[in-house]
Short mmCIF file of all heavy atoms in Angstrom, two decimals:
data_model
loop_
_atom_site.label_atom_id
_atom_site.label_comp_id
_atom_site.label_asym_id
_atom_site.label_seq_id
_atom_site.Cartn_x
_atom_site.Cartn_y
_atom_site.Cartn_z
N ILE O 109 4.66 -7.08 7.17
CA ILE O 109 5.56 -8.13 7.65
C ILE O 109 6.36 -8.72 6.50
O ILE O 109 7.57 -8.97 6.63
CB ILE O 109 4.76 -9.24 8.36
CG1 ILE O 109 4.08 -8.68 9.61
CG2 ILE O 109 5.66 -10.42 8.73
CD1 ILE O 109 3.14 -9.66 10.29
N VAL O 110 5.73 -8.94 5.35
CA VAL O 110 6.40 -9.67 4.27
C VAL O 110 7.03 -8.76 3.21
O VAL O 110 8.04 -9.13 2.59
CB VAL O 110 5.43 -10.66 3.58
CG1 VAL O 110 4.96 -11.71 4.56
CG2 VAL O 110 4.24 -9.93 2.97
N HIS O 111 6.47 -7.59 2.98
CA HIS O 111 7.00 -6.70 1.95
C HIS O 111 8.37 -6.15 2.33
O HIS O 111 8.69 -6.00 3.51
CB HIS O 111 6.06 -5.51 1.73
CG HIS O 111 4.91 -5.81 0.83
ND1 HIS O 111 4.63 -5.07 -0.30
CD2 HIS O 111 3.95 -6.77 0.90
CE1 HIS O 111 3.54 -5.54 -0.87
NE2 HIS O 111 3.12 -6.57 -0.17
N ARG O 112 9.17 -5.83 1.33
CA ARG O 112 10.34 -4.99 1.59
C ARG O 112 9.82 -3.60 1.93
O ARG O 112 8.61 -3.34 1.79
CB ARG O 112 11.25 -4.95 0.36
CG ARG O 112 10.73 -4.13 -0.81
CD ARG O 112 11.69 -4.18 -1.97
NE ARG O 112 11.26 -3.32 -3.08
CZ ARG O 112 11.63 -2.07 -3.23
NH1 ARG O 112 12.44 -1.49 -2.36
NH2 ARG O 112 11.20 -1.36 -4.26
N PRO O 113 10.64 -2.68 2.37
CA PRO O 113 10.13 -1.34 2.73
C PRO O 113 9.62 -0.57 1.50
O PRO O 113 10.34 0.23 0.89
CB PRO O 113 11.36 -0.65 3.36
CG PRO O 113 12.24 -1.75 3.82
CD PRO O 113 12.05 -2.85 2.79
N ASP O 114 8.38 -0.85 1.13
CA ASP O 114 7.78 -0.18 -0.03
C ASP O 114 6.34 0.27 0.25
O ASP O 114 5.66 0.77 -0.65
CB ASP O 114 7.80 -1.08 -1.27
CG ASP O 114 7.05 -2.40 -1.10
OD1 ASP O 114 6.26 -2.52 -0.14
OD2 ASP O 114 7.24 -3.31 -1.93
N LEU O 115 5.89 0.10 1.50
CA LEU O 115 4.53 0.49 1.86
C LEU O 115 4.57 1.90 2.45
O LEU O 115 5.11 2.11 3.55
CB LEU O 115 3.95 -0.48 2.88
CG LEU O 115 3.69 -1.91 2.39
CD1 LEU O 115 3.56 -2.85 3.56
CD2 LEU O 115 2.45 -1.95 1.52
N PRO O 116 3.99 2.89 1.76
CA PRO O 116 4.03 4.26 2.27
C PRO O 116 3.05 4.46 3.41
O PRO O 116 2.03 3.77 3.52
CB PRO O 116 3.64 5.10 1.05
CG PRO O 116 2.80 4.19 0.22
CD PRO O 116 3.35 2.80 0.43
N LEU O 117 3.36 5.41 4.27
CA LEU O 117 2.43 5.76 5.35
C LEU O 117 1.24 6.55 4.82
O LEU O 117 0.12 6.43 5.31
CB LEU O 117 3.15 6.55 6.44
CG LEU O 117 4.26 5.80 7.18
CD1 LEU O 117 4.90 6.71 8.22
CD2 LEU O 117 3.73 4.53 7.83
N PHE O 118 1.49 7.37 3.81
CA PHE O 118 0.45 8.17 3.17
C PHE O 118 0.95 8.54 1.78
O PHE O 118 2.14 8.44 1.50
CB PHE O 118 0.14 9.43 4.00
CG PHE O 118 1.34 10.26 4.34
CD1 PHE O 118 1.83 11.22 3.46
CD2 PHE O 118 1.99 10.07 5.56
CE1 PHE O 118 2.95 11.97 3.77
CE2 PHE O 118 3.12 10.83 5.87
CZ PHE O 118 3.59 11.78 4.98
N PRO O 119 0.08 8.95 0.86
CA PRO O 119 0.53 9.35 -0.48
C PRO O 119 1.57 10.46 -0.40
O PRO O 119 1.36 11.48 0.26
CB PRO O 119 -0.77 9.84 -1.14
CG PRO O 119 -1.84 9.06 -0.45
CD PRO O 119 -1.39 8.94 0.98
N GLY O 120 2.71 10.24 -1.03
CA GLY O 120 3.79 11.20 -0.99
C GLY O 120 4.76 11.00 0.16
O GLY O 120 5.74 11.74 0.28
N SER O 121 4.51 10.02 1.01
CA SER O 121 5.36 9.78 2.17
C SER O 121 6.75 9.31 1.74
O SER O 121 6.90 8.47 0.86
CB SER O 121 4.72 8.71 3.07
OG SER O 121 5.61 8.31 4.09
N ALA O 122 7.76 9.87 2.40
CA ALA O 122 9.13 9.42 2.16
C ALA O 122 9.47 8.21 3.02
O ALA O 122 10.45 7.51 2.75
CB ALA O 122 10.11 10.55 2.44
N THR O 123 8.69 7.97 4.04
CA THR O 123 8.90 6.83 4.93
C THR O 123 8.17 5.62 4.38
O THR O 123 6.97 5.67 4.14
CB THR O 123 8.40 7.14 6.35
OG1 THR O 123 9.09 8.28 6.85
CG2 THR O 123 8.63 5.95 7.27
#
Side-chain angles (χ1 to χ4, degrees):
I109 296 173
V110 297
H111 278 236
R112 73 181 184 92
D114 60 15
L115 293 162
L117 296 179
F118 52 86
S121 171
T123 301

